[in-house]
């Protein structure tokens, strides 16, 4: 253990060397150690590496950017508090994301977005990161840029999802123009996993009254309803996200939005019922709730199939 500590201290000291080659070699070694040795990650943080790594994110060298960003991602697994307490870290991550299509390497962008997603696992960090408008704006720019690599888009979507888990952040995502590119990914996203990830973010931001007007501009309710059409072949996770979004619109979107959801959702009652029967535990609960709203509102006839689903849920 002590040998590891001495090794780490030596490598971190070399990050401050005047020799670029010495810094590069130490950085590459720290990346490998932090990836393969879970025990050594806290030692790297304790040795004071994080401020160096944050500063290196501003480097013009892609190799330096990538190694620093990957090391920070590895450290975020066990040292989230150390990362969040480092002054300037979020600004450095924002810099990487902001230059995603110019001076920053794709690998560094992906690691930085993934680091945000890792940090956002902690509830108390969500409002802090969500207050960084430049981070949200940069993540939105990544998903709306046509030639963004698939992994960059997926990592940006996961970071946006983590941000949107905090209710007060949802308005920021909407105000910074996030709705249209999210729905564009759902409509045009033939790439693996994109529709699932984008619809998950949409489901979260639907729980904000400001979402209604922006959803209307994208025919959002119609898109969500189409995802529940059994003929479209949407996966279970996508359908669960669509149910969650529609339910959030009913609960938070006001009377007009609720009426529109009820009217249009009636067309895909079979799709909602499929989620109620075959979805995850959380998905089933939301689908049953949405079905009850349709039945209670008189928009849907309660036939034997739907009655069975609703009765089963009431008996749980």
């Amino acid at each position: 253990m002590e040998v590891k500590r001495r090794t780490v201290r030596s490598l971190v000291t070399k990050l401050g060397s005047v020799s670029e080659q010495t810094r590069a070699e130490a950085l590459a070694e720290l990346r490998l150690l932090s990836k393969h040795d879970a025990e050594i990650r806290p030692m790297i943080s304790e040795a004071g590496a994080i401020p160096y790594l944050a500063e290196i994110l501003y480097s013009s060298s892609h190799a330096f950017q990538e190694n620093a960003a990957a090391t920070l991602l590895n450290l975020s697994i066990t040292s989230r508090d150390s990362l969040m307490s480092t002054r300037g870290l979020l600004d450095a991550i924002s810099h990487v994301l902001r230059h995603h299509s110019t001076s920053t390497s794709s690998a560094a962008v992906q690691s930085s977005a993934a680091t945000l997603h890792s940090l956002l696992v902690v509830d108390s960090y969500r409002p802090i990161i969500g207050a960084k408008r430049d981070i949200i704006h940069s993540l939105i720019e990544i998903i709306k840029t046509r030639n963004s690599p698939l992994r960059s888009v997926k990592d940006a979507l996961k970071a946006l999802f983590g941000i949107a888990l905090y209710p007060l952040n949802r308005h920021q995502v909407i105000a910074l123009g996030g709705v249209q590119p999210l729905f564009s990914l759902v409509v045009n996203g033939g790439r693996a996993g994109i529709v699932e990830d984008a619809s998950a973010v949409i489901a979260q931001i639907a729980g904000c009254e400001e979402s209604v007007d922006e959803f209307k501009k994208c025919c959002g309710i119609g898109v969500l309803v189409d995802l529940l059409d059994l003929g479209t072949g949407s996966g279970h996770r996508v359908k669960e996200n669509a149910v969650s979004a529609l339910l959030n619109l009913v609960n938070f979107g006001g009377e007009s939005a609720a009426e529109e959801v009820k009217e249009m959702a009636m067309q895909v009652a079979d799709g909602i019922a499929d989620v109620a029967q075959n979805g995850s535990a959380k998905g089933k609960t939301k689908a049953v709730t949405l079905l009850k709203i349709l039945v209670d509102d008189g928009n849907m006839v309660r036939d034997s199939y739907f009655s069975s689903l609703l009765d089963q849920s009431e008996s749980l």
Side-chain angles (χ1 to χ4, degrees):
M1 184 75 73
E2 188 55 37
V3 172
K4 288 184 179 182
R5 291 187 190 279
R6 285 200 299 270
T7 299
V8 167
R9 284 197 293 267
S10 174
L11 290 171
V12 171
T13 299
K14 290 178 181 179
L15 290 180
S17 171
V18 295
S19 166
E20 183 172 326
Q21 183 176 347
T22 298
R23 294 199 307 274
E25 290 172 353
L27 183 58
E29 184 66 19
L30 285 169
R31 176 180 181 175
L32 286 174
L33 289 173
S34 64
K35 178 179 180 180
H36 297 294
D37 190 341
E39 191 176 60
I40 215 166
R41 290 174 195 145
M43 299 179 191
I44 295 173
S45 300
E46 291 163 8
I50 296 174
Y52 284 113
L53 296 171
E55 183 179 350
I56 292 169
L57 290 181
Y58 292 97
S59 169
S60 60
S61 163
H62 281 193
F64 273 81
Q65 294 170 8
E66 291 170 12
N67 284 332
T71 304
L72 287 168
L73 174 58
N74 295 335
L75 296 181
S76 73
I77 299 170
T78 55
S79 303
R80 295 186 179 102
D81 288 345
S82 298
L83 265 69
M84 286 297 291
S85 63
T86 298
R87 184 176 181 179
L89 175 73
L90 293 180
D91 292 333
I93 289 176
S94 175
H95 172 83
V96 170
L97 299 176
R98 187 164 61 252
H99 295 90
H100 67 96
S101 61
T102 53
S103 59
T104 306
S105 80
S106 295
V109 170
Q110 292 154 13
S111 292
S112 295
T115 297
L116 286 176
H117 181 246
S118 177
L119 294 172
L120 287 158
V121 168
V122 182
D123 291 357
S124 60
Y125 295 160
R126 292 171 187 163
I128 298 171
I129 295 173
K132 296 282 187 178
R133 288 171 57 90
D134 50 341
I135 285 180
I136 298 176
H137 180 266
S138 297
L139 292 170
I140 292 170
E141 286 298 311
I142 291 170
I143 69 170
K144 72 189 288 189
T145 300
R146 189 176 296 274
N147 61 349
S148 288
L150 173 62
R151 185 175 167 188
S152 296
V153 174
K154 288 180 68 66
D155 285 327
L157 285 170
K158 288 176 180 175
L160 283 169
F161 176 79
I163 288 169
L165 286 174
Y166 181 64
L168 296 183
N169 288 340
R170 295 167 189 168
H171 168 70
Q172 290 279 44
V173 177
I174 295 165
L176 291 170
V179 174
Q180 190 276 331
L182 285 167
F183 274 105
S184 291
L185 288 175
V186 170
V187 174
N188 304 312
R191 296 183 289 179
I194 291 293
V195 175
E196 182 176 309
D197 291 338
S199 60
V201 182
I202 289 171
Q204 291 300 317
I205 63 174
C208 170
E209 63 179 334
E210 292 89 351
S211 66
V212 176
D213 290 340
E214 293 302 315
F215 277 37
K216 285 180 179 178
K217 294 176 185 177
C218 307
C219 300
I221 294 176
V223 172
L224 294 169
V225 166
D226 285 345
L227 293 177
L228 287 164
D229 188 327
L230 295 178
T232 62
S234 299
H236 279 299
R237 289 283 299 279
V238 172
K239 288 190 285 190
E240 287 190 20
N241 291 336
V243 166
S244 179
L246 292 172
L247 188 58
N248 273 338
L249 285 170
V250 170
N251 290 332
F252 298 98
E255 186 176 344
S256 176
E259 289 305 315
E260 186 176 354
V261 168
K262 293 172 187 177
E263 182 179 345
M264 296 188 71
M266 185 176 63
Q267 304 167 25
V268 288
D270 287 343
I272 301 170
D274 179 58
V275 176
Q277 188 169 40
N278 301 307
S280 66
K282 187 178 292 186
K284 287 179 178 179
T285 299
K286 291 183 178 181
V288 167
T289 301
L290 187 55
L291 283 175
K292 284 180 178 178
I293 290 171
L294 297 180
V295 170
D296 293 344
D297 199 61
N299 282 328
M300 189 178 75
V301 177
R302 180 165 176 161
D303 62 19
S304 58
Y305 174 58
F306 293 119
S307 292
S308 174
L309 282 175
L310 297 177
D311 290 343
Q312 286 177 24
S313 70
E314 290 169 357
S315 66
L316 292 178

